[in-house]
């Protein structure tokens, strides 16, 4: 049973560029949430997708956008990258709106 | 809004010592409470959870009890091992106010266990 997978593992981008991160949920899960974890901090909720729609959003600017595909996989897009966007981006999945979420290994984004 | 406050780290213990990591929360509704663990270079793993007052979550020798009267969910383990060295996060999930189970995390506590 495959768990949550994310790609790529690491990414280095330059300020002003755009980046796309990908997530495949755990088998049988249809809801995907994205979190940003800055170094030494706890994860912060970015947004949540269910039935291909954004259902909830945290306190992040519009530069952060996402998408969910019919197979429940998801993308996180960040435009106009800032140095402060450097972080570990975590994807979590659940079966519907459940409090138990399973996390992937994350994508480490470095903005230079 | 919802918030989680957990004990500042780092915490350094010797093997077989007793562990307590304090966690308190503020929530508008009646949240579920969690402890997640993050090993170096990895994502988060759910360690244990509790969904209502006086529930005790337990896993791998770790325990935490949902205390509604003190809004706390302290993590304990009677005898830590070197392999328990990791960062521990307390978190809550609140369904009230249209919040569809988004997780709110504390800042994390780094635990180092020496042999």
């Amino acid at each position: 049973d495959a768990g949550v997978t994310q790609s790529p593992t690491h990414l280095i981008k330059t300020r002003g560029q755009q980046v796309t991160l990908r997530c495949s949920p755990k088998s049988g899960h249809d809801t995907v949430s994205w979190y940003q974890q800055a170094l030494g901090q706890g994860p912060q909720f970015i947004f949540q997708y269910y039935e291909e729609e954004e259902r909830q959003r945290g306190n992040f600017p519009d530069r952060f956008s996402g998408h969910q595909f019919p197979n429940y996989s998801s993308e996180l897009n960040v435009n106009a990258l800032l140095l402060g966007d450097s972080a570990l981006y975590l994807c979590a999945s659940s079966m519907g709106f459940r409090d138990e979420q399973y996390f992937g290994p994350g994508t480490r984004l470095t903005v230079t | 809004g919802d918030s989680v406050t957990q004990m500042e780290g780092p915490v350094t213990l010797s093997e077989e010592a007793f562990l307590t990591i304090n966690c308190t929360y503020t929530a508008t509704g009646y949240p579920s409470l969690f402890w997640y663990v993050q090993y170096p270079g990895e994502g988060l793993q759910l360690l244990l959870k509790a969904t209502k007052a006086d529930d005790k979550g337990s896993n791998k020798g770790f325990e935490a009890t949902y205390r509604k009267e003190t809004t706390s969910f302290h993590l304990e383990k009677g005898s830590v091992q070197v392999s328990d060295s990791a960062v521990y996060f307390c978190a809550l999930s609140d369904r009230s106010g249209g919040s569809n189970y988004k997780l709110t995390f504390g800042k994390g506590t780094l635990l180092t266990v020496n042999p």
Side-chain angles (χ1 to χ4, degrees), chain A residues 41-58:
Chain A
Q41 300 295 315
Q44 298 287 319
F45 175 75
I46 303 175
F47 42 52
Q48 178 189 69
Y49 277 85
Y50 173 70
E51 292 186 335
E52 302 179 49
E53 289 187 12
E54 183 183 291
R55 299 292 179 161
Q56 234 190 143
R57 189 179 184 91

Side-chain angles (χ1 to χ4, degrees), chain A residues 71-86:
Chain A
N71 67 352
Y72 309 123
S73 66
S74 177
E75 288 182 348
L76 163 66
N77 300 294
V78 187
N79 293 324
L81 284 166
L82 304 174
L83 294 180
D85 295 331
S86 295

